[in-house]
Amino acid sequence: MEGVEHRVIKVNGINMHVAEKGEGPLILFIHGFPELWYSWRHQIASLSSKGYRAVAPDLRGYGDTDAPDLVTSYTCFHIVGDLVQLLNIISPNEHKVLVVGHDWGAAIAWYLCLFRPDKVKAVFNLSVSFIPHNPHMNPIDGWRAIYGNDYYMCRFQQPGEIEAEFAEMGTETVVKAFLTYRVPGPIMLPKGKPFGHSADTPIALPSWLSEEEVHYYVSKFDNKSGFTGGINYYRNLHRNWELMAPWTGCDVKVAAKFVVGDLDLVYHMPGMKEYIHNGGFKKDVPMLEEVVVMEGVGHFIHMEKPDEINNLIYDFFRQFD
């Protein structure tokens, strides 16, 4: 990408790759699964041209950032700790920064707001709303009860199992299957027929995703990190649930905006629409300024509708300049 500076920074004992462009107030972009800093390419170009310093790391376990071997090295504390230390290094004099997250990146952004609200000026999250801690049910047991053992988060729990199946499918097929998924329902990965079709079924790319862009993801997952690092985030869902017990009932004390596509699988999880629109979300995030539901848009909203998302980010953040 033209004009983007790439560097590796030592953060909490790991080498973290960071892409950066522009000068001005810092915007930290936090990617999801199975993504990379590259998922923010459209936002980096746009926001850096509007007077912001766009910073997008590969999170631990992804791309050109180190991938620790231990599953337990991927808790919410580890990931937020990496980002806080990164900010301390690259912007030591900037008290608070602007944050944008998508998918797991949105979840991490909410954690960051809970743990270190002193670091966040405002948060703009995509696809994954704040989800309050439920002391009575851990998330994996909850998803298994609703969707069964073939639900992707459940299939991800056994180390090595899904990685072997993905290896058999091929990295390109896996990347395309995830990035083109736009069914408003759960991802199911039954053995032998993940995503509901055979591995050799051709996957047509939408207009917003080129073969060249897919190749970038494939090259990093093939030659660098593999999928294990990203999948390990899911393997810590139960551990995160235990770690988050002290924050039960806490609200997010940061100005926020939330955008989701009406075809996003997360938006259609049981109870999600009711929580987002009937007062629960606003109660837990009292400084939530607006919820935007974009029609006809799937999960990877920042790539599918980059111009609209870029404008929404800019319109929200410029009040904090």
Side-chain angles (χ1 to χ4, degrees), residues 30-41:
I30 313 174
H31 69 77
F33 176 88
E35 298 183 81
L36 302 162
W37 75 268
Y38 186 68
S39 299
W40 299 112
R41 57 197 176 277

Side-chain angles (χ1 to χ4, degrees), residues 65-84:
T65 293
D66 288 348
D69 292 332
L70 292 176
V71 172
T72 51
S73 295
Y74 295 84
T75 71
C76 54
F77 288 165
H78 289 87
I79 312 307
V80 171
D82 290 345
L83 296 175
V84 169

Side-chain angles (χ1 to χ4, degrees), residues 10-23:
K10 182 73 76 172
V11 172
N12 296 329
I14 68 168
N15 294 307
M16 173 171 272
H17 166 252
V18 181
E20 182 177 337
K21 186 178 184 181
E23 295 180 358

